[in-house]
Amino acid sequence: MTTIGFSTGAIARDDFVTALDLLEPTNTSAVELSALRAPELPPLLAALPGLLPRLNQRYRYVSFHAPTKFNDEQSLVQQLMVIADLGLNIVVHPDTIGDFDHWRGLGSRLCLENMDSRKPIGRTAEELEPFFEMLPEARLCLDLAHARQIDSSMNQAVRILRRFANRLTQFHISEINSKGAHFPMSFAAIRAYEPFATIMSRTPVIIESMVGPHEIVREIAATEELVTQTSGVNSREFAA
């Protein structure tokens, strides 16, 4: 059974209430609550205890994307601990990690994401390796758009999966430009992602394409068509 959903930040940026309302009538079975900017975290954190029971009834998979820019690392992680205690996987950009001791407390709820070409670290299997060594319980969020930007042949994505297959928790999917903006998938992007269809069919897939309300259903349909293909590379090829 495929598990496909959207990031709230891709639909309504910092307005998670509007994003969830827009997703309610769709057939999505997953959602990622996004707080990419530090000021977005407190209101989402305050709403989460009351919001989560409803989300758990509506969706099979719910995750959280941590801020990518902040001033106080220790304070941020303390807030994220509340989210981890509620049972959500927390997607974190490796380049935001300064003190590993702070983040280690998130345990297996910490989900590291491979980075795009703008970032100096965390882009490849080799660059992710030291992070997983220092954070042994951390999981993996594989962003296919980031991986394709780094290596259009998708060989680097395969290398990441083969090295960290046992840590894989979710995918991010979209297309991305040189400035890091996510947008709907082109035919070329979909073709590039086809070899991962089999493993995506067994792993939650979060769409990060920044779309308007009228484009949501179309992007979900494109992702479903991709993920339900049977022509993908067998996931056993990605075993660590």
Side-chain angles (χ1 to χ4, degrees):
M1 183 181 297
T2 59
T3 302
I4 297 172
F6 248 102
S7 161
T8 58
I11 299 172
R13 193 176 169 86
D14 58 353
D15 186 352
F16 65 91
V17 174
T18 294
L20 292 173
D21 286 344
L22 290 170
L23 290 173
E24 184 62 31
T26 71
N27 64 348
T28 49
S29 54
V31 68
E32 183 173 277
L33 301 169
S34 174
L36 291 183
R37 290 151 288 274
E40 298 170 23
L41 182 56
L44 186 48
L45 190 62
L48 200 52
L51 181 63
L52 193 56
R54 177 167 66 88
L55 295 181
N56 284 335
Q57 289 184 335
R58 168 65 175 81
Y59 299 101
R60 288 198 297 271
Y61 180 77
V62 181
S63 62
F64 187 90
H65 200 307
T68 59
K69 294 182 179 180
F70 47 86
N71 295 321
D72 188 334
E73 184 178 21
Q74 185 173 10
S75 175
L76 174 74
V77 176
Q78 288 174 347
Q79 294 177 82
L80 296 179
M81 284 293 296
V82 176
I83 297 169
D85 289 342
L86 290 171
L88 301 188
N89 292 329
I90 302 171
V91 178
V92 172
H93 288 186
D95 67 302
T96 66
I97 295 175
D99 188 333
F100 287 99
D101 288 339
H102 293 325
W103 299 87
R104 204 168 285 122
L106 293 174
S108 61
R109 290 301 176 188
L110 176 60
C111 194
L112 300 179
E113 179 181 0
N114 58 301
M115 294 287 88
D116 61 53
S117 62
R118 298 171 302 151
K119 304 298 177 66
I121 55 176
R123 300 164 296 184
T124 65
E126 291 75 17
E127 291 178 355
L128 287 168
E129 182 76 41
F131 288 92
F132 285 120
E133 288 179 352
M134 294 297 293
L135 300 163
E137 294 184 77
R139 312 292 288 177
L140 169 68
C141 170
L142 181 60
D143 190 308
L144 290 176
H146 290 174
R148 180 170 176 251
Q149 186 191 59
I150 295 297
D151 176 9
S152 60
S153 73
M154 299 303 290
N155 285 334
Q156 190 53 236
V158 172
R159 287 174 59 83
I160 292 173
L161 273 178
R162 285 179 174 167
R163 179 64 188 87
F164 306 113
N166 62 324
R167 298 180 183 267
L168 181 66
T169 297
Q170 67 171 61
F171 283 91
H172 278 168
I173 194 168
S174 66
E175 193 156 356
I176 189 172
N177 63 24
S178 60
K179 296 182 179 179
H182 293 264
F183 57 93
M185 293 179 290
S186 65
F187 177 74
I190 291 172
R191 289 299 303 271
Y193 303 155
E194 284 178 357
F196 305 89
T198 300
I199 193 168
M200 281 194 288
S201 71
R202 296 196 281 266
T203 308
V205 178
I206 299 296
I207 304 167
E208 287 196 309
S209 309
M210 297 189 71
V211 298
H214 63 288
E215 299 174 298
I216 293 172
V217 171
R218 183 178 64 189
E219 197 71 358
I220 293 169
T223 305
E224 287 180 333
E225 184 177 357
L226 165 63
V227 171
T228 56
Q229 291 182 76
T230 59
S231 59
V233 174
N234 193 289
S235 60
R236 287 177 295 181
E237 295 192 17
F238 299 132

